[in-house]
Amino acid sequence: MQFLISRYNPETDDKPHMQAFEVDVQRGMMLRDALLDIKRQDESFAFRHSCGEGVCGSDGVNVNGSNKLACITPISELKTPIEVRPFPGRPIIRDLVVDMTQFYEQYKKVDPWLVRKEPAPEQEVLQSPEDRDKLDGLYECILCGCCSTSCPSFWWNPDKFLGPQALLSSWRFLADSRDQATDERLDQLEDPYKMFRCHTIMNCVESCPKGLNPTKAIGNIKNLMIKKAV
Amino acid sequence: MALAKRRFDALIIGAGGAGLNAAIQLADTNLQVAVVSKVFPTRSHTVAAQGGVNAALANVSDDSWHWHMFDTVKGSDYLGDQDAIEFMCREAIPTVYELEHNGVPFSRLENGTIYQRAFGGQSQNFGGAQASRTCAAADRTGHAILHALYQQNVRARTHFFDEFFAVELLRDDEGAILGALVLEIETGEPLLIEAKSTILATGGCGQVYRTTSNAHINTGDGMALALRAGAPLMDMEFYQFHPTGIAGKGMLITEGVRGEGGYLVNKDGERFMERYAPNAKDLASRDVVSRAIVTEVKEGRGCGPKSDHVMLKVDHLGEEIISKRLPGIRESGKIFAGVDAVVEPLPVFPTAHYIMGGILTDRYGRVLTDQNDTIMPGLYAAGECACVSVHGANRLGGNSLLDILVFGRAAGLNVLNNTPASHRKLTDSAIQSAMARLERWDQTGTGLSVRELRDEFRRTMEDHAGVFRTEVIMQEGVNKLLALRDKLPDVRLQDHSRVFNTGRIEALELENLFDCGIAMAVSALHRQESRGAHSRPDYPERDDANWMKHSLYYRAEDRMDYKPVTTEPLSVDSFPPKVRTY
Ligand SMILES: Cc1cc2nc3c(=O)[nH]c(=O)nc-3n(C[C@H](O)[C@H](O)[C@H](O)COP(=O)(O)OP(=O)(O)OC[C@H]3O[C@@H](n4cnc5c(N)ncnc54)[C@H](O)[C@@H]3O)c2cc1C
Ligand code: SF4
Ligand code: SF4
Ligand code: FES
C-alpha cells in the first residue's frame, strides 16, 4: 500500500515535500507500524513515538487532514491515498516532528497543579466518589496536542489564546473539590484572548483521541464565571 | 569549536516517576537542579502503568506495613534485601499520602479515602487472607501519578532539558562522576552538564527483546551508562515475562482473561497447557505458561503464517461475559490485533515486562561498586534502572510504582543533604572519552545498519535469554551475543545530519541495549538454580545453600561476582527462607 509522507530536512530542503513509500500492510496494523516500516526503509525519516498504545501522547500527526495518534489509528480505517503530514500550524523541525513549545507554554500558563492553602493533613485530603467523578473526562488528557493544533483560533493566536488543551486542564483543577484557587484561576482567564477566542468550532472535540471534550470544559468555565459574577 | 557547558548542583537523568519524585525533593531548595529527559516528561513510560501502587493504608482491609513486607520478601523468593524492603513498606504510607497532596486523582471509597484493590501476592497476617493494598486511580494510575508529579515540578520551576539524550557519564581518574555529556536532539548539538551529584532514573530495558510491554524508549540507557562508568549491574538474570502479550506487539492481555475461563491453543487446536500443567492448566504460574508457549512455537506448533504465536481462546465465553468482564481486552484486541475476541481467538506470545535487576544501590540511592558497598562518588540511581534490591527474583504487582517513588524520593533527599560545596575538576580526558562515543557515529562509509544488527540482537535475546533457560541454549546465546557485539564497530549511519536525527539516537540506544542484554545473558548463564523469574529446567530447584546471593556483572571482561543477601531488616525480625507456595 502506498503512503505519502511529508518530508523536510532543514539542512537540505527549502520547504516540505511529499514522498511516496510502499508498505506491506497486514491485518491489524496501525499507522505507527507503517511509519516504523518506512523508518526501516529510510533511516533519515523522523517522527516521535514511544508507548505504542495511546498513552504517552508522542505520535500525533495529521492524516488525510485530521489529527490523530498514529499508534491507535488502524490503517484499515483510512481512505487511500494516505497522506501523513505534521500537525498544522506549528513550526516544522523535521519531517513529522513539530515544535510544540508554545503548546506546552500555554499549558503551564493555567497553573496546572493542585493548589492547597490549608496545611496538608497527615493522611489523604478526603474527596467523595461523586466529587472524584467530576474529574473523569478531564484528568486523562495525555498532552498530545491533537486538539489545540486543530483549532483555528489557536492557529491564529497561539501566543494569546490558551487553546483547548490548556483550558481543559484549567477546568480539571477548577472541578477538583480539593483545589483552593478557584478565584485566582478565574481571574487569570478574564482577558479578551485567553479563553474568549474560542468560537465553539469543535475541531478539538473531534480530534481528541481520548474522547475528551475541551469545548464542554470551556463552557463550564464560562458558566462558573457568570455564576461568580452575580 | 568549544563545547557548550552548563553547571548545576544536581543532574537528574530521567523524568519518569523516579526522576520527577527526586526532583520534587530538590525543587523548593536553593540547589540548582537540571532534569534531562530524552522525551517530554509526561511521555515517560511510567505513564503506562495501570493497576496501582501498594501501601498498607488499610482503607479497605486490615493491613500493616509489616504484612506488606512479608509478602514482598516472600514474593522476591528470598532474594530481596530485607532492610530495603522494610524501608520501602514503611515509607509506602507517607509516600502515597504525599502523592495525594500533590494532586493525584485517586479513585475514592464512600468515606472519601483512597480506593484500594486486591492484587496477587497480597496477604493479611503474614500469609493469611487476601489483602487489598493497591492504591489506584481507575486503571490509569501511572498516568495520574506521572502527570501530577510533572505538574508539581512545573509549579516549582524545575529546570527541564526536554528531548536531551544522555550519551555518557563524565568520570574523572579517581572514578568520581562529574555529570554527563548530553545531546540536544532538536539541534544535534552536544552539551556538557557538570554536576556535583548525578541521579540516574532512566527506567527499564524491555527493548532488548523483540516483544515487550515496554515503550520504544525503554532501552536501558542508564544501566549501560553506569556499567561503562565501572559500576556493576546486579541480578540482571531476573526478568519478568508476562505470558500473554498481543503477538508481535506485546501489549498486555491481563491474566484475568484466563481467570474468566479463556485458554490457550496451538495450531492443531490443542489445549496444550493440559500437557504442561495437568492441574493448574492455563492458570499455572507465569513462568510455566510462558515456557510452554515458547516450546509449542519452537517445536513447530505455532499459529499464523510464520508459526510464531499461539491463540488465546475467549469466544466460547460468549458476548455477554466478554463485554461485561473483559471490555478493555475486547477493545485492545480490536485495536491491536484486528480481532474481535467475541468471534475469534487472540494471537498471543510472552511479552517482556520488567527488569528486577539493575544498578546496585543502597537504600539512599547511592551507587555501589562492589560487594563491600564501596560508594561511587557523585552517582545515584533510582527506579526501574536501579536494584536496591526490593524485588529480588520476582516483583509483585504494584510494587514497582512504589519502588520508583520511595527510592526516587530517598535519592533526592540524600543529594539534598550531601551536596559537596564545590565541583570537582572536569578533566579533558573525561570529556574526550565521553565525546568519543558520540563521534564514533560520525564515521562514514558502508557497513551494517543499526536496524540489521538490532533485529538480530533482539531475536537472539528472545531465543536464548528469554523464558527458556537451559545451559545449552544460554551458552549458545552468550556466544552469539558476543559475536554480534564484535560487529558493533562495523555499523555505520548513512544519515549524518544534525537536526532531530532519530537514526543517531537509535544507534546510541543500540549500544546500550547490547550492554544490558549481555549483562542479562551472562548473569543468567551463571546462576545454576531456579528462583523466581529465573527458571531453569536443568536446575529446577531453588538452591539456598549455594545461590542465596546477588549476582554482580561487570562490563570489563564480562566478569561475574557475588554479594550476600541482606537478611537483617532494620527493626523487625528477619523472615527466613521458606518454600514458596501460594
Ligand atoms: C504496561 C505496564 C504496566 C505496568 N503497570 C504497573 C502497575 O500497575 N504497578 C506498578 O507498580 N508497576 C507497573 N509497571 C512497572 C512500572 O510502571 C515501571 O517499572 C516504572 O514506571 C518505571 O519508572 P521509572 O521512573 O524508573 O522509569 P520511566 O518512567 O521509564 O522513565 C524513564 C525516564 O528516563 C528518561 N531517559 C531514559 N534514557 C535516557 C537518556 N539516555 N537520556 C535522557 N533521558 C533518558 C526517559 O525519557 C524517561 O523520562 C508497569 C509497566 C508496564 C510496562
Ligand atoms: S471549540 Fe474552541 S477550542 Fe475547540 S477547536 Fe473550536 S475554537 Fe478551538
Ligand atoms: S484534550 Fe485530548 S487531544 Fe487535547 S491534548 Fe488532551 S488528550 Fe490530546
Ligand atoms: S506512541 Fe504513545 S501515544 Fe502513540
Side-chain angles (χ1 to χ4, degrees):
Chain A
M1 188 183 273
Q2 200 185 59
F3 289 79
L4 291 165
I5 308 286
S6 172
R7 300 299 306 270
Y8 172 68
N9 178 346
E11 290 163 63
T12 50
D13 302 332
D14 296 332
K15 58 179 188 347
H17 60 276
M18 299 303 278
Q19 186 181 352
F21 289 92
E22 274 301 321
V23 175
D24 182 16
V25 171
Q26 280 162 27
R27 197 167 77 147
M29 252 170 96
M30 296 294 140
L31 179 59
R32 183 182 81 130
D33 299 321
L35 297 180
L36 284 170
D37 193 88
I38 292 167
K39 174 87 179 150
R40 296 170 76 83
Q41 300 176 30
D42 181 350
E43 168 188 296
S44 75
F45 170 51
F47 71 109
R48 291 187 180 104
H49 69 105
S50 181
C51 71
E53 52 184 67
V55 293
C56 77
S58 300
D59 61 344
V61 290
N62 187 273
V63 199
N64 295 345
S66 312
N67 289 350
K68 292 180 187 302
L69 286 181
C71 65
I72 52 170
T73 299
I75 293 171
S76 58
E77 286 175 13
L78 297 173
K79 286 215 180 76
T80 49
I82 297 172
E83 298 187 351
V84 188
R85 295 189 168 78
F87 275 159
R90 303 281 82 226
I92 302 173
I93 295 172
R94 178 173 182 163
D95 297 339
L96 303 181
V97 179
V98 292
D99 183 347
M100 293 293 281
T101 310
Q102 208 145 37
F103 170 78
Y104 298 132
E105 286 309 315
Q106 298 300 46
Y107 170 66
K108 291 172 192 171
K109 271 192 207 156
V110 302
D111 293 356
W113 54 82
L114 188 77
V115 176
R116 293 285 298 175
K117 295 180 179 166
E118 293 164 18
E122 215 152 274
Q123 299 183 326
E124 65 268 65
V125 177
L126 297 179
Q127 184 172 49
S128 71
E130 297 72 37
D131 280 340
R132 169 59 184 76
D133 285 350
K134 293 178 187 154
L135 306 182
D136 284 342
L138 303 171
Y139 84 95
E140 302 93 321
C141 172
I142 56 172
L143 288 174
C144 65
C146 286
C147 56
S148 295
T149 61
S150 71
C151 167
S153 296
F154 190 74
W155 294 340
W156 309 135
N157 295 292
D159 50 337
K160 294 189 205 140
F161 174 54
L162 290 169
Q165 191 295 317
L167 291 163
L168 179 98
S169 287
S170 180
W171 178 246
R172 179 249 171 275
F173 289 99
L174 284 164
D176 195 325
S177 61
R178 300 171 297 170
D179 190 76
Q180 300 179 322
T182 303
D183 293 343
E184 292 88 331
R185 293 185 191 281
L186 291 178
D187 285 352
Q188 263 194 17
L189 296 174
E190 287 284 2
D191 167 295
Y193 277 91
K194 280 185 177 163
M195 179 172 67
F196 290 99
R197 279 285 141 155
C198 167
H199 300 305
T200 334
I201 311 168
M202 303 274 277
N203 284 6
C204 53
V205 182
E206 229 158 87
S207 64
C208 177
K210 299 275 116 186
L212 312 182
N213 190 332
T215 315
K216 192 167 146 210
I218 295 168
N220 287 336
I221 300 178
K222 287 182 181 164
N223 289 341
L224 187 62
M225 275 184 174
I226 295 167
K227 219 165 95 191
K228 287 264 167 189
V230 292
Chain B
M1 196 188 75
L3 263 171
K5 210 187 282 183
R6 298 284 301 268
R7 271 190 163 194
F8 290 88
D9 292 308
L11 165 64
I12 300 174
I13 303 176
L20 291 182
N21 212 28
I24 281 281
Q25 313 309 320
L26 303 169
D28 298 308
T29 69
N30 52 16
L31 291 188
Q32 299 285 326
V33 183
V35 180
V36 169
S37 171
K38 62 179 173 178
V39 293
F40 182 78
T42 62
R43 322 262 181 246
S44 307
H45 204 49
T46 294
V47 82
Q50 302 167 355
V53 48
N54 296 339
L57 305 184
N59 288 353
V60 171
S61 61
D62 258 2
D63 211 352
S64 89
W65 66 261
H66 201 189
W67 302 345
H68 183 187
M69 177 184 172
F70 168 80
D71 292 339
T72 305
V73 172
K74 179 179 166 190
S76 80
D77 220 350
Y78 300 91
L79 196 73
D81 285 338
Q82 297 196 20
D83 57 340
I85 294 176
E86 177 178 341
F87 177 76
M88 177 177 84
C89 296
R90 280 170 174 275
E91 283 291 301
I93 298 165
T95 297
V96 168
Y97 288 140
E98 187 178 274
L99 281 178
E100 195 278 334
H101 299 158
N102 278 331
V104 174
F106 282 110
S107 301
R108 299 291 172 147
L109 295 159
E110 273 312 315
N111 66 2
T113 55
I114 293 170
Y115 169 75
Q116 298 189 279
R117 59 164 59 109
F119 249 46
Q122 298 181 348
S123 74
Q124 303 181 46
N125 256 316
F126 312 108
Q130 173 79 40
S132 293
R133 189 177 293 141
T134 306
C135 309
D139 58 359
R140 300 192 179 90
T141 315
H143 170 280
I145 291 174
L146 187 68
H147 279 253
L149 290 176
Y150 178 63
Q151 292 162 349
Q152 289 298 336
N153 274 290
V154 171
R155 174 190 59 73
R157 301 183 181 281
T158 299
H159 194 127
F160 281 104
F161 287 84
D162 295 338
E163 299 193 323
F164 279 69
F165 184 92
V167 176
E168 197 75 334
L169 293 170
L170 301 167
R171 181 172 173 269
D172 70 13
D173 298 337
E174 286 154 36
I177 302 303
L178 315 169
L181 170 70
V182 304
L183 179 75
E184 180 174 19
I185 298 175
E186 180 176 339
T187 60
E189 294 303 328
L191 169 69
L192 291 169
I193 299 187
E194 270 189 88
K196 297 170 187 166
S197 312
T198 300
I199 304 178
L200 293 169
T202 50
C205 61
Q207 288 290 324
V208 297
Y209 295 107
R210 222 164 29 139
T211 315
T212 171
S213 65
N214 282 200
H216 176 72
I217 55 171
N218 296 143
T219 49
D221 299 352
M223 291 186 254
L225 259 58
L227 262 187
R228 294 197 295 259
L233 295 183
M234 183 157 93
D235 294 340
M236 291 298 282
E237 63 271 43
F238 296 103
Y239 200 92
Q240 187 168 75
F241 288 86
H242 196 291
T244 56
I246 293 179
K249 313 238 162 148
M251 291 83 182
L252 280 200
I253 297 189
T254 170
E255 222 159 85
V257 170
R258 282 169 287 139
E260 293 288 343
Y263 58 84
L264 297 158
V265 293
N266 61 20
K267 81 163 197 249
D268 306 321
E270 184 204 3
R271 188 172 177 184
F272 59 86
M273 278 314 297
E274 290 177 339
R275 255 190 290 125
Y276 295 88
N279 295 319
K281 300 191 181 101
D282 297 88
L283 281 174
S285 76
R286 284 186 182 180
D287 51 325
V288 174
V289 182
S290 293
R291 255 197 327 273
I293 296 174
V294 174
T295 308
E296 289 302 297
V297 167
K298 279 204 165 160
E299 293 180 355
R301 290 187 296 277
C303 308
K306 292 182 193 150
S307 305
D308 58 359
H309 59 265
V310 297
M311 290 295 186
L312 176 59
K313 207 168 134 45
V314 212
D315 51 294
H316 61 285
L317 298 177
E319 174 152 18
E320 202 182 316
I321 292 199
I322 293 174
S323 344
K324 201 163 131 205
R325 304 233 176 93
L326 307 165
I329 292 314
R330 188 176 181 188
E331 179 95 28
S332 322
K334 277 189 193 161
I335 294 185
F336 292 112
V339 162
D340 184 349
V342 168
V343 287
E344 281 177 282
L346 297 159
V348 295
F349 195 76
T351 188
H353 193 49
Y354 181 85
I355 181 87
M356 268 74 74
I359 305 162
L360 166 59
T361 69
D362 62 16
R363 63 176 190 276
Y364 306 103
R366 295 180 296 201
V367 172
L368 309 176
T369 58
D370 55 32
Q371 48 172 280
N372 304 320
D373 292 352
T374 310
I375 287 167
M376 180 171 265
L379 191 62
Y380 297 76
E384 193 171 332
C385 72
C387 184
V388 189
S389 126
V390 286
H391 309 301
N394 174 58
R395 112 171 138 99
L396 296 184
N399 262 359
S400 172
L401 286 177
L402 180 60
D403 167 13
I404 68 175
L405 294 165
V406 165
F407 294 101
R409 183 170 191 274
L413 289 176
N414 203 48
V415 164
L416 177 62
N417 297 328
N418 296 291
T419 292
S422 57
H423 288 265
R424 285 177 174 245
K425 190 177 158 14
L426 179 57
T427 56
D428 282 343
S429 70
I431 299 174
Q432 271 159 19
S433 69
M435 278 301 289
R437 292 206 73 79
L438 203 52
E439 285 159 356
R440 173 257 175 272
W441 291 106
D442 293 337
Q443 291 174 32
T444 53
T446 52
L448 280 170
S449 71
V450 169
R451 173 178 63 78
E452 283 170 292
L453 197 60
R454 185 179 54 210
D455 287 353
E456 219 176 316
F457 165 79
R458 296 175 77 196
R459 200 175 320 116
T460 310
M461 283 298 293
E462 196 152 287
D463 292 346
H464 297 275
V467 284
F468 221 103
R469 302 187 159 187
T470 60
E471 187 89 19
V472 178
I473 287 177
M474 287 193 295
Q475 184 63 61
E476 200 185 321
V478 168
N479 296 346
K480 279 189 185 173
L481 288 171
L482 296 180
L484 286 177
R485 183 169 69 183
D486 289 340
K487 290 188 188 171
L488 257 178
D490 304 332
V491 180
R492 292 286 179 279
L493 286 175
Q494 296 311 311
D495 171 25
H496 295 277
S497 60
R498 298 280 135 185
V499 175
F500 224 101
N501 185 337
T502 52
R504 185 152 67 142
I505 298 297
E506 288 180 8
L508 293 162
E509 289 172 339
L510 178 64
E511 296 177 315
N512 296 335
L513 287 174
F514 262 95
D515 280 337
C516 294
I518 288 176
M520 293 161 74
V522 171
S523 306
L525 177 61
H526 281 81
R527 184 173 287 270
Q528 296 178 333
E529 66 159 349
S530 289
R531 182 186 297 268
H534 180 67
S535 186
R536 293 191 57 165
D538 45 358
Y539 297 94
E541 302 299 325
R542 192 176 81 197
D543 177 0
D544 289 332
N546 295 303
W547 285 102
M548 205 172 126
K549 58 187 180 185
H550 299 294
S551 318
L552 301 181
Y553 164 87
Y554 292 86
R555 189 168 184 268
E557 289 155 29
D558 300 305
R559 182 168 69 88
M560 293 302 303
D561 202 347
Y562 294 90
K563 181 178 187 299
V565 173
T566 307
T567 51
E568 262 327 294
L570 299 172
S571 71
V572 292
D573 287 342
S574 178
F575 292 111
K578 284 199 198 136
V579 179
R580 189 166 145 256
T581 52
Y582 284 102

